[in-house]
Amino acid sequence: MLSRFGALPTERRVKEMKGRDYLWCLANELVDREQELERLCPACRARALEERCPGCGRRTGEGEGEGMVNPAFDPARFQALKEGQGG
């Protein structure tokens, strides 16, 4: 988030920020993003919501490659560990 404001973590203004300041900035960024999306037609909105590579622009989300799915994830083992059963 600091890069959006052109700020470095070592700057005084950043060091003086509190957790609520970061939350406020994040909340406003989310509202701004929603307002930008509302201005788009349905087709452009769908395209804007697709996960894309920042370098080439190709889709990276569902339907192409692995996306956000971890093939090594074991849901049964996760549930067992979550319930406090050793693995």
Side-chain angles (χ1 to χ4, degrees), residues 7-18:
L8 296 172
T10 55
E11 289 183 44
R12 182 173 159 234
R13 63 183 174 147
V14 175
K15 287 181 178 181
E16 292 176 354
M17 288 180 71
K18 300 196 180 339

Side-chain angles (χ1 to χ4, degrees), residues 48-67:
L49 292 172
E50 291 175 348
E51 291 183 36
R52 296 193 167 269
C53 170
C56 68
R58 286 184 15 201
R59 290 185 63 201
T60 59
E62 286 185 32
E64 291 189 21
E66 295 177 6

Side-chain angles (χ1 to χ4, degrees), residues 1 5 13-28:
M1 176 182 1
F5 299 105
R13 63 183 174 147
V14 175
K15 287 181 178 181
E16 292 176 354
M17 288 180 71
K18 300 196 180 339
R20 67 175 181 257
D21 298 322
Y22 286 102
L23 181 60
W24 180 255
C25 289
L26 179 60
N28 280 291

